[in-house]
Amino acid sequence: RQRWRADGRALRKLPVHVGLVVTEEEPSYADMASLVVWCMAVGISYVSVYDHNGIFKRNNSRLMDEILKQQQELLGLDCSKYTVEFANHDKTGQVLNCQSTLKVLSPEDGKADIVKAAQNFCQLVAQQQRTHSDLDVNMLDNLLSSTNGFPDPDLVLKFGPVDSTLGFLPWHIRLTEIISLPSHLNISYEDFFSALHHYAACEQRWGK
């Protein structure tokens, strides 16, 4: 436990929000739970789990059981300090006394956020609080932030052979660093931390 926390502090920069994107057909609950718990252990505040078939979201209670089991096994007596919750549209982004907040997503989530933001903007125009010419990148960012509740991902770890994020939060990852790994199956902590180290060494030029 001490090693993980020290590893997080040793990095030049630590992502606030990590997306874990599985493009493989057979997702592993145990391996995904390990990744989530490692994120929590090094000090990452927000974690999103995504697979393009929505398997994790449909079975999020099974994933939660595996996460809680591994919290106890990997974090031991400190388990209570690393409580995780499933944020949903009723309690989007709610952080109680949580070290990390987890959101489990499927393809409809990113699209639904954009649709809701567009509806909110149209309502503002109808109420004459905005005009159609006010819509720009910053305005859409603000509208999406109000519906999403999570900061945009700093880092996406994409697992599997598909060279695509397959619909994961299409608007929110415009400035996200994406690191591809061969598979989430049997992934080791060393592989995970190596990806974090790679992210910490990246110089983000913001399109310049």
Side-chain angles (χ1 to χ4, degrees), residues 139-169:
M139 171 63 71
L140 187 53
D141 269 340
N142 291 334
L143 289 166
L144 284 167
S145 296
S146 67
T147 61
N148 184 37
F150 265 38
D152 289 349
D154 307 287
L155 171 65
V156 163
L157 300 181
K158 182 192 72 65
F159 303 96
V162 180
D163 192 19
S164 168
T165 54
L166 297 178
F168 172 73
L169 297 180

Side-chain angles (χ1 to χ4, degrees), residues 10 45 58 65-67 69-70 75 90 101 106 135 154 162 164 177 179 197-198 207:
S45 299
R58 287 196 303 274
D65 288 344
E66 188 63 42
I67 290 169
K69 173 186 170 186
Q70 293 201 33
L75 303 177
D90 297 323
T101 305
S106 60
L135 186 59
D154 307 287
V162 180
S164 168
E177 190 71 30
I179 296 176
H197 196 273
H198 179 75

Side-chain angles (χ1 to χ4, degrees), residues 124-190:
L124 292 172
V125 173
Q127 296 168 348
Q128 297 186 337
Q129 297 180 36
R130 294 286 180 182
T131 67
H132 65 86
S133 60
D134 290 333
L135 186 59
D136 57 14
V137 170
N138 291 331
M139 171 63 71
L140 187 53
D141 269 340
N142 291 334
L143 289 166
L144 284 167
S145 296
S146 67
T147 61
N148 184 37
F150 265 38
D152 289 349
D154 307 287
L155 171 65
V156 163
L157 300 181
K158 182 192 72 65
F159 303 96
V162 180
D163 192 19
S164 168
T165 54
L166 297 178
F168 172 73
L169 297 180
W171 176 267
H172 305 78
I173 59 172
R174 295 165 299 124
L175 303 175
T176 299
E177 190 71 30
I178 300 174
I179 296 176
S180 296
L181 296 166
S183 176
H184 73 301
L185 301 176
N186 300 313
I187 190 167
S188 67
Y189 174 75
E190 286 69 27

